[in-house]
Amino acid sequence: MIRVPVPLADRPYDVWVGEGAASLLADVLPAGVERIVVVTQPDVPDLVERDRVVARCELGEGEFHKTLATVEHLCRDLARAGLTRRDCVVAVGGGMVTDVAGFAAASYHRGIAVVHVPTTLLGMVDAAIGGKTGVNLPEGKNLVGAFWQPVAVLCDLTALETLPERERRSGLGEMAKYHFLTGDDLLALPLEERVARCVAIKAEVVVADEREAMAGGNAGGGAGRASLNYGHTLAHALEITSGHDLRHGEAVAIGLVYAAELAGVLDRIGQDRIDEHRAVIARYGLDASLPSGSEPDRLVELMGRDKKALDGLTFVLDGPQGVELVPGVDPTDVKAALARMGA
């Protein structure tokens, strides 16, 4: 079992990675917790002991249920279960579950404790870590939410034993992102160390910039927490245009290569670095092709609604100084990079 601390000044917590990590729940709950509501989905492994569990709320499958309506229903379930500010929500599932349950926990009674028990690779290396919660709108992905840190995260690797292959690949998309942020050869590590290393990378970024303060037009000076969105600007647009048929990590893999192509159009990097992006994505077993029928104008419209977009089209891009936040990108250049991807 590996412990990864997230040493935030106000709300420090630990992430535990290893087989059987969910058994630590009783040890990580805040003192005085009397009632627990488990938020999960059908067919998710039942990893949480029943002690103090007063209700089990199941969310629908898929991004179509990641909505404000779902948060309302969940908060009403918490009220019917009698949860108070002393009690705790335990989110058991993938990134959709931890996002929605975390947002409900942040909102109910203006904030109650939440423990995340991610059951997918994507959830373990990204979604459950760092306190970002939220839901989608028809106009864009994750446009409504809150920063709400968990009191602990328990990455129980036994949950991955039955993970469908496509969900495993989705997690690898986020893992490939960390490759470009650090240069680490994550695939060379055993699974437990690999997950823990991804958690440690994200924790370091989150501690330095918990609420994306550096996203306010910090071009040329790094990207802070926004660096964790490398490849995500196009990825989120692709998820919407595909009707969420694309898994998040699959879309991120395409978005990573697109970000490299756009950096090439802007003369930030050379062809060798673009080729490296394609080679790494292939090594992770991921596809870098745009879905057939992708419409450049629609993708540009959706990318313009991205949460980072404070000054026109805004991207996290590679460059001579590493990954940086680049605002005000010309739509002509955005479309030129899409053309390089076959759009």
Side-chain angles (χ1 to χ4, degrees):
M1 194 86 67
I2 300 176
R3 168 182 167 269
V4 182
V6 184
L8 291 164
D10 295 332
R11 301 186 69 176
Y13 59 94
D14 291 329
V15 180
W16 292 91
V17 180
E19 294 188 359
S23 66
L24 299 176
L25 178 61
D27 298 324
V28 301
L29 288 173
V33 167
E34 297 178 355
R35 288 172 290 272
I36 295 171
V37 169
V38 173
V39 180
T40 187
Q41 288 177 309
D43 302 323
V44 169
D46 191 359
L47 300 175
V48 175
E49 295 180 3
R50 298 291 174 156
D51 183 41
R52 287 184 278 189
V53 175
V54 296
R56 176 184 167 96
C57 303
E58 290 191 351
L59 307 181
E61 297 277 4
E63 290 279 325
F64 296 109
H65 294 280
K66 191 177 174 182
T67 64
L68 285 167
T70 297
V71 173
E72 179 186 354
H73 288 306
L74 181 52
C75 286
R76 294 183 67 184
D77 287 341
L78 300 183
R80 284 189 285 264
L83 258 64
T84 70
R85 290 182 179 177
R86 278 194 311 234
D87 299 320
C88 186
V89 170
V90 178
V92 184
M96 182 270 202
V97 172
T98 56
D99 275 5
V100 172
F103 189 24
S107 306
Y108 182 73
H109 281 316
R110 297 186 177 89
I112 65 172
V114 61
V115 174
H116 294 317
V117 186
T119 59
T120 65
L121 184 59
L122 178 64
M124 292 180 187
V125 303
D126 185 67
I129 315 298
K132 274 191 176 180
T133 72
V135 296
N136 305 331
L137 297 176
E139 290 76 17
K141 186 175 169 71
N142 293 332
L143 292 184
V144 180
F147 289 97
W148 190 246
Q149 298 294 343
V151 298
V153 180
L154 306 175
C155 299
D156 193 330
L157 299 184
T158 58
L160 301 182
E161 294 173 0
T162 57
L163 195 67
E165 176 61 22
R166 194 173 179 194
E167 288 296 339
R168 186 190 70 84
R169 287 202 310 272
S170 183
L172 290 175
E174 287 288 351
M175 199 171 284
K177 172 192 73 178
Y178 292 123
H179 175 103
F180 294 115
L181 295 183
T182 66
D184 287 2
D185 185 6
L186 296 166
L187 292 180
L189 299 174
L191 179 62
E192 185 177 84
E193 294 178 24
R194 189 186 314 166
V195 172
R197 177 60 184 141
C198 290
V199 171
I201 294 168
K202 182 161 189 179
E204 182 179 355
V205 175
V206 169
V207 168
D209 185 19
E210 180 182 359
R211 294 173 176 261
E212 284 191 6
M214 292 180 67
N218 190 51
R225 184 165 180 166
S227 66
L228 297 171
N229 286 133
Y230 189 42
H232 284 55
T233 307
L234 177 64
H236 289 163
L238 290 175
E239 288 179 81
I240 293 169
T241 58
S242 73
H244 298 288
D245 181 58
L246 271 179
R247 298 289 195 275
H248 177 68
E250 293 172 333
V252 168
I254 299 168
L256 289 167
V257 172
Y258 173 75
E261 292 286 4
L262 180 56
V265 168
L266 298 176
D267 293 324
R268 295 176 55 84
I269 61 174
Q271 188 61 46
D272 56 341
R273 181 63 170 160
I274 298 172
D275 293 341
E276 181 184 351
H277 276 67
R278 290 188 175 275
V280 168
I281 292 303
R283 185 173 170 228
Y284 275 77
L286 298 163
D287 187 10
S289 303
L290 283 173
S292 60
S294 294
E295 300 179 4
D297 288 340
R298 176 62 173 155
L299 291 174
V300 172
E301 176 190 358
L302 289 170
M303 286 190 281
R305 296 176 184 165
D306 186 85
K307 298 185 300 300
K308 298 182 298 299
L310 300 177
D311 182 16
L313 286 157
T314 302
F315 295 85
V316 178
L317 297 177
D318 200 0
Q321 306 302 317
V323 169
E324 297 175 342
L325 195 66
V326 181
V329 180
D330 192 311
T332 302
D333 293 326
V334 174
K335 289 183 180 179
L338 287 170
R340 289 190 179 190
M341 298 282 292

Short mmCIF file of all heavy atoms in Angstrom, two decimals, residues 174-184 201 205 224-230 256 273 316 323:
data_model
loop_
_atom_site.label_atom_id
_atom_site.label_comp_id
_atom_site.label_asym_id
_atom_site.label_seq_id
_atom_site.Cartn_x
_atom_site.Cartn_y
_atom_site.Cartn_z
N GLU A 174 -5.34 9.65 -19.80
CA GLU A 174 -4.88 10.60 -18.78
C GLU A 174 -3.45 10.30 -18.36
O GLU A 174 -2.67 11.22 -18.08
CB GLU A 174 -5.80 10.57 -17.56
CG GLU A 174 -7.16 11.21 -17.77
CD GLU A 174 -7.09 12.74 -17.86
OE1 GLU A 174 -6.02 13.31 -17.59
OE2 GLU A 174 -8.11 13.36 -18.21
N MET A 175 -3.09 9.04 -18.34
CA MET A 175 -1.72 8.68 -17.96
C MET A 175 -0.73 9.22 -19.00
O MET A 175 0.36 9.70 -18.66
CB MET A 175 -1.61 7.16 -17.84
CG MET A 175 -0.41 6.70 -17.05
SD MET A 175 -0.48 4.92 -16.72
CE MET A 175 -1.70 4.88 -15.41
N ALA A 176 -1.10 9.16 -20.27
CA ALA A 176 -0.24 9.71 -21.32
C ALA A 176 -0.04 11.21 -21.14
O ALA A 176 1.03 11.74 -21.41
CB ALA A 176 -0.84 9.41 -22.69
N LYS A 177 -1.06 11.89 -20.66
CA LYS A 177 -0.93 13.33 -20.38
C LYS A 177 0.20 13.58 -19.39
O LYS A 177 1.02 14.48 -19.58
CB LYS A 177 -2.25 13.86 -19.82
CG LYS A 177 -2.19 15.30 -19.32
CD LYS A 177 -3.42 15.66 -18.52
CE LYS A 177 -3.42 14.99 -17.16
NZ LYS A 177 -4.61 15.37 -16.35
N TYR A 178 0.25 12.78 -18.33
CA TYR A 178 1.31 12.95 -17.33
C TYR A 178 2.69 12.68 -17.94
O TYR A 178 3.68 13.28 -17.52
CB TYR A 178 1.08 12.01 -16.15
CG TYR A 178 -0.12 12.37 -15.31
CD1 TYR A 178 -1.14 11.45 -15.09
CD2 TYR A 178 -0.25 13.63 -14.74
CE1 TYR A 178 -2.25 11.76 -14.31
CE2 TYR A 178 -1.35 13.96 -13.96
CZ TYR A 178 -2.35 13.02 -13.75
OH TYR A 178 -3.44 13.36 -12.99
N HIS A 179 2.74 11.80 -18.92
CA HIS A 179 4.02 11.57 -19.62
C HIS A 179 4.55 12.87 -20.21
O HIS A 179 5.73 13.20 -20.07
CB HIS A 179 3.83 10.53 -20.73
CG HIS A 179 5.05 10.30 -21.57
ND1 HIS A 179 5.86 9.19 -21.42
CD2 HIS A 179 5.62 11.05 -22.54
CE1 HIS A 179 6.87 9.29 -22.27
NE2 HIS A 179 6.74 10.39 -22.96
N PHE A 180 3.67 13.62 -20.85
CA PHE A 180 4.11 14.86 -21.49
C PHE A 180 4.38 15.98 -20.48
O PHE A 180 5.18 16.87 -20.74
CB PHE A 180 3.08 15.31 -22.52
CG PHE A 180 2.96 14.38 -23.69
CD1 PHE A 180 1.78 13.69 -23.92
CD2 PHE A 180 4.03 14.16 -24.53
CE1 PHE A 180 1.66 12.81 -24.98
CE2 PHE A 180 3.92 13.28 -25.60
CZ PHE A 180 2.74 12.61 -25.83
N LEU A 181 3.73 15.93 -19.33
CA LEU A 181 3.97 16.96 -18.32
C LEU A 181 5.29 16.74 -17.59
O LEU A 181 5.89 17.69 -17.09
CB LEU A 181 2.82 16.98 -17.31
CG LEU A 181 1.44 17.39 -17.84
CD1 LEU A 181 0.43 17.44 -16.70
CD2 LEU A 181 1.49 18.73 -18.55
N THR A 182 5.73 15.48 -17.51
CA THR A 182 6.92 15.18 -16.70
C THR A 182 8.03 14.47 -17.44
O THR A 182 9.18 14.49 -17.02
CB THR A 182 6.53 14.28 -15.51
OG1 THR A 182 6.09 13.01 -16.01
CG2 THR A 182 5.43 14.92 -14.68
N GLY A 183 7.69 13.77 -18.54
CA GLY A 183 8.68 12.94 -19.21
C GLY A 183 8.84 11.57 -18.57
O GLY A 183 9.66 10.76 -19.03
N ASP A 184 8.07 11.27 -17.53
CA ASP A 184 8.17 9.97 -16.85
C ASP A 184 7.73 8.83 -17.76
O ASP A 184 6.72 8.95 -18.48
CB ASP A 184 7.28 9.96 -15.60
CG ASP A 184 7.84 10.80 -14.47
OD1 ASP A 184 8.90 11.42 -14.68
OD2 ASP A 184 7.22 10.83 -13.40
N ILE A 201 2.02 13.31 -9.08
CA ILE A 201 2.19 14.40 -10.06
C ILE A 201 1.03 15.38 -9.94
O ILE A 201 1.21 16.60 -9.86
CB ILE A 201 2.27 13.84 -11.49
CG1 ILE A 201 3.54 13.01 -11.68
CG2 ILE A 201 2.25 14.99 -12.51
CD1 ILE A 201 3.53 12.19 -12.96
N VAL A 205 0.86 19.52 -8.50
CA VAL A 205 0.29 20.63 -9.26
C VAL A 205 -0.85 21.28 -8.49
O VAL A 205 -0.95 22.51 -8.41
CB VAL A 205 -0.20 20.14 -10.64
CG1 VAL A 205 -0.91 21.27 -11.39
CG2 VAL A 205 0.96 19.62 -11.47
N GLY A 224 0.24 26.43 -14.33
CA GLY A 224 -0.31 26.05 -13.05
C GLY A 224 -1.19 24.83 -13.18
O GLY A 224 -0.90 23.89 -13.93
N ARG A 225 -2.30 24.84 -12.45
CA ARG A 225 -3.21 23.69 -12.48
C ARG A 225 -3.81 23.48 -13.86
O ARG A 225 -4.21 22.36 -14.22
CB ARG A 225 -4.30 23.85 -11.43
CG ARG A 225 -5.21 22.64 -11.35
CD ARG A 225 -6.07 22.60 -10.12
NE ARG A 225 -6.90 21.40 -10.16
CZ ARG A 225 -7.57 20.92 -9.12
NH1 ARG A 225 -7.48 21.52 -7.95
NH2 ARG A 225 -8.31 19.84 -9.23
N ALA A 226 -3.91 24.55 -14.65
CA ALA A 226 -4.44 24.39 -16.00
C ALA A 226 -3.61 23.44 -16.84
O ALA A 226 -4.10 22.90 -17.84
CB ALA A 226 -4.52 25.76 -16.69
N SER A 227 -2.35 23.18 -16.44
CA SER A 227 -1.53 22.22 -17.17
C SER A 227 -2.17 20.83 -17.17
O SER A 227 -1.95 20.03 -18.10
CB SER A 227 -0.12 22.13 -16.58
OG SER A 227 -0.16 21.60 -15.26
N LEU A 228 -2.97 20.54 -16.13
CA LEU A 228 -3.64 19.25 -16.07
C LEU A 228 -4.72 19.12 -17.14
O LEU A 228 -5.26 18.03 -17.36
CB LEU A 228 -4.27 19.06 -14.69
CG LEU A 228 -3.26 19.03 -13.52
CD1 LEU A 228 -4.00 19.07 -12.19
CD2 LEU A 228 -2.37 17.80 -13.61
N ASN A 229 -5.05 20.23 -17.80
CA ASN A 229 -6.00 20.20 -18.92
C ASN A 229 -5.30 20.06 -20.27
O ASN A 229 -5.93 20.27 -21.32
CB ASN A 229 -6.86 21.46 -18.93
CG ASN A 229 -7.91 21.46 -17.84
OD1 ASN A 229 -8.08 22.45 -17.14
ND2 ASN A 229 -8.62 20.36 -17.68
N TYR A 230 -4.03 19.70 -20.25
CA TYR A 230 -3.32 19.50 -21.52
C TYR A 230 -4.07 18.46 -22.36
O TYR A 230 -4.36 17.36 -21.91
CB TYR A 230 -1.90 19.03 -21.24
CG TYR A 230 -0.99 19.00 -22.46
CD1 TYR A 230 -1.00 20.03 -23.39
CD2 TYR A 230 -0.10 17.94 -22.67
CE1 TYR A 230 -0.18 20.02 -24.50
CE2 TYR A 230 0.74 17.93 -23.77
CZ TYR A 230 0.70 18.96 -24.68
OH TYR A 230 1.52 18.95 -25.79
N LEU A 256 -4.35 15.43 -27.12
CA LEU A 256 -2.92 15.61 -26.90
C LEU A 256 -2.17 15.77 -28.22
O LEU A 256 -1.30 16.64 -28.36
CB LEU A 256 -2.35 14.42 -26.11
CG LEU A 256 -2.77 14.33 -24.65
CD1 LEU A 256 -2.41 12.96 -24.08
CD2 LEU A 256 -2.09 15.43 -23.82
N ARG A 273 8.96 16.92 -32.18
CA ARG A 273 8.16 16.87 -30.95
C ARG A 273 6.74 16.44 -31.26
O ARG A 273 6.11 15.72 -30.47
CB ARG A 273 8.18 18.24 -30.27
CG ARG A 273 7.42 18.33 -28.96
CD ARG A 273 7.98 17.45 -27.87
NE ARG A 273 7.36 17.75 -26.57
CZ ARG A 273 7.35 16.93 -25.54
NH1 ARG A 273 7.96 15.76 -25.62
NH2 ARG A 273 6.77 17.29 -24.41
N VAL A 316 -3.76 24.92 -23.57
CA VAL A 316 -2.52 24.54 -22.92
C VAL A 316 -1.65 23.91 -24.00
O VAL A 316 -2.04 22.89 -24.61
CB VAL A 316 -2.76 23.55 -21.77
CG1 VAL A 316 -1.44 23.14 -21.13
CG2 VAL A 316 -3.68 24.17 -20.73
N VAL A 323 5.05 23.19 -21.01
CA VAL A 323 3.61 23.43 -21.20
C VAL A 323 3.22 24.78 -20.61
O VAL A 323 3.57 25.10 -19.48
CB VAL A 323 2.81 22.29 -20.54
CG1 VAL A 323 1.34 22.63 -20.48
CG2 VAL A 323 3.01 20.99 -21.32
#
